[in-house]
Amino acid sequence: MRNPFLFILPLIAIAGTNAQAEQIAPTFSQKLDIQVRYDNRSNRPSREQYRLRYYPSLAITSAWSVNSFVVTGDDFSSSHNTFGSDNTDYLYARRLYLRHETGSGKTELGVIPTYKGRVSSTGLSKDGWITGVRHVKQLQNDTAIEIVVGQLANAEASEAFNIGGEDEYFEIEYSAKMGQRHSYEASFERMLNGTFARAEYRLRINEQDTAFIELVQRTDESAAKVVVGTSGEFAASAFNTSYPIEYFAYYSYIDSSFGERAELIEDFLGTGHGGSLEFSGVLSEKHDVEWFIRADVVDSVSRLLAGVKLSFDS
């Protein structure tokens, strides 16, 4: 199936019927963010890059909506184009899906996102896609269960809507909050001809800082990925002014036999021991402009990223 509208249009018609019953006029919203960055990596020449992310959404009723995602980049975990390059002028739609959302959970059907909410360090790239259905059910006591059934391929972005011929994907996840300080997730995944068990624990140290540990064990091979880190915010003082700066820091280890799943994370550098440290802050609240600087090291490969991001909503 080459045309993604063929499988989603009947669902839009059903939602439209509900819209008439509820007598709510459809509303269109959109979000665009633009990032420009400098990428200096030890094993290749430095690059100046840009990224465009566009999120259009049509709310048919208070519960039903049709959503899409268009972004630069050419594959599952890459969303940047390089200035001055003749062969990296990419811009593709990577998602198109119907969402039904209520206070008890949500269902997404089509070419859907790889995540239900916050993206974990061990999760798939937030710019990727899965072809299938996701259902999230909110349970009692701040718990939830998520089930995803569909297909996934480590493929080029231009093939995101080429339905069929991909590897089967299955995920079931249980998540819970324990008071204001503790939360955890546990899941089982099958993708790319491998099976994986994933666990995550997060501890709210104080109002500003959170520590976390994440583990993905490949159950059909003796291979794992582990991430330990912390994130939060601190205040930098200068000229009698307090300036908030967000930070994100972690150590990670990925076995070399972990498989293709390792390559589907954000900005994959390589397997082995690694670490990352990132700082970011606001340049202009009025115009929604942020800056960031980040350093990554994985075994013998190092990288420095620095740039700015602008966001627009309507």
Side-chain angles (χ1 to χ4, degrees):
M1 183 184 296
R2 297 281 176 175
N3 191 337
F5 290 96
L6 294 181
F7 69 85
I8 204 167
L9 279 176
L11 297 170
I12 297 176
I14 295 172
T17 302
N18 290 343
Q20 293 176 358
E22 297 178 23
Q23 297 181 346
I24 298 176
T27 58
F28 178 76
S29 62
Q30 57 187 333
K31 177 182 177 182
L32 172 68
D33 70 59
I34 304 171
Q35 185 191 96
V36 179
R37 76 178 189 183
Y38 171 71
D39 180 4
N40 186 1
R41 189 162 157 175
S42 62
N43 58 352
R44 68 184 178 200
S46 62
R47 304 178 297 180
E48 292 76 38
Q49 298 182 302
Y50 68 94
R51 181 184 69 197
L52 304 177
R53 284 179 175 153
Y54 178 57
Y55 305 82
S57 179
L58 177 64
I60 303 171
T61 72
S62 59
W64 292 90
S65 63
V66 180
N67 306 271
S68 186
F69 175 55
V70 182
V71 66
T72 47
D74 63 340
D75 64 37
F76 191 96
S77 57
S78 173
S79 57
H80 288 83
N81 289 345
T82 300
F83 286 109
S85 177
D86 295 331
N87 60 349
T88 63
D89 188 18
Y90 303 112
L91 184 67
Y92 297 110
R94 301 191 183 196
R95 300 173 196 150
L96 179 63
Y97 59 98
L98 183 70
R99 173 187 288 157
H100 179 260
E101 188 168 14
T102 64
S104 61
K106 67 178 178 181
T107 301
E108 296 172 335
L109 176 63
V111 186
I112 63 177
T114 55
Y115 54 90
K116 70 176 186 299
R118 177 184 50 81
V119 180
S120 302
S121 300
T122 50
L124 301 178
S125 170
K126 57 180 172 290
D127 293 325
W129 63 91
I130 298 168
T131 303
V133 59
R134 165 184 290 109
H135 180 66
V136 181
K137 177 66 174 178
Q138 298 293 332
L139 307 175
Q140 295 180 349
N141 302 322
D142 287 328
T143 63
I145 188 166
E146 173 191 12
I147 299 176
V148 184
V149 179
Q151 294 183 320
L152 170 72
N154 187 1
E156 297 179 358
S158 59
E159 301 176 355
F161 290 153
N162 291 352
I163 312 302
E166 300 177 320
D167 295 315
E168 293 182 358
Y169 181 93
F170 173 78
E171 177 186 1
I172 182 168
E173 178 186 278
Y174 179 79
S175 58
K177 293 181 180 179
M178 299 174 288
Q180 299 297 318
R181 299 188 60 198
H182 308 273
S183 64
Y184 68 90
E185 297 178 356
S187 66
F188 174 80
E189 306 167 343
R190 177 166 180 79
M191 68 177 81
L192 302 172
N193 298 315
T195 55
F196 304 86
R198 191 182 75 87
E200 174 183 340
Y201 170 71
R202 303 180 71 84
L203 170 64
R204 187 75 178 266
I205 301 172
N206 51 45
E207 290 295 325
Q208 291 79 32
D209 306 296
T210 300
F212 59 89
I213 180 169
E214 303 176 25
L215 172 67
V216 183
Q217 175 67 51
R218 182 164 182 172
T219 58
D220 57 336
E221 298 281 351
S222 180
K225 175 181 178 179
V226 61
V227 179
V228 180
T230 182
S231 62
E233 182 181 294
F234 64 92
S237 299
F239 306 105
N240 295 321
T241 302
S242 180
Y243 181 78
I245 296 177
E246 295 184 1
Y247 74 92
F248 182 68
Y250 67 84
Y251 159 82
S252 68
Y253 175 76
I254 309 175
D255 281 322
S256 59
S257 57
F258 194 71
E260 288 181 286
R261 189 192 185 286
E263 300 176 15
L264 300 186
I265 63 174
E266 197 84 5
D267 285 329
F268 174 72
L269 271 184
T271 59
H273 296 275
S276 179
L277 177 62
E278 180 176 356
F279 299 103
S280 61
V282 176
L283 282 175
S284 172
E285 292 185 359
K286 179 180 179 180
H287 302 290
D288 204 357
V289 183
E290 301 177 1
W291 62 268
F292 68 91
I293 184 168
R294 171 176 157 187
D296 301 318
V297 177
V298 177
D299 280 353
S300 60
V301 180
S302 61
R303 177 178 59 185
L304 175 66
L305 298 172
V308 295
K309 185 179 82 169
L310 298 81
S311 298
F312 306 90
D313 290 281
S314 65

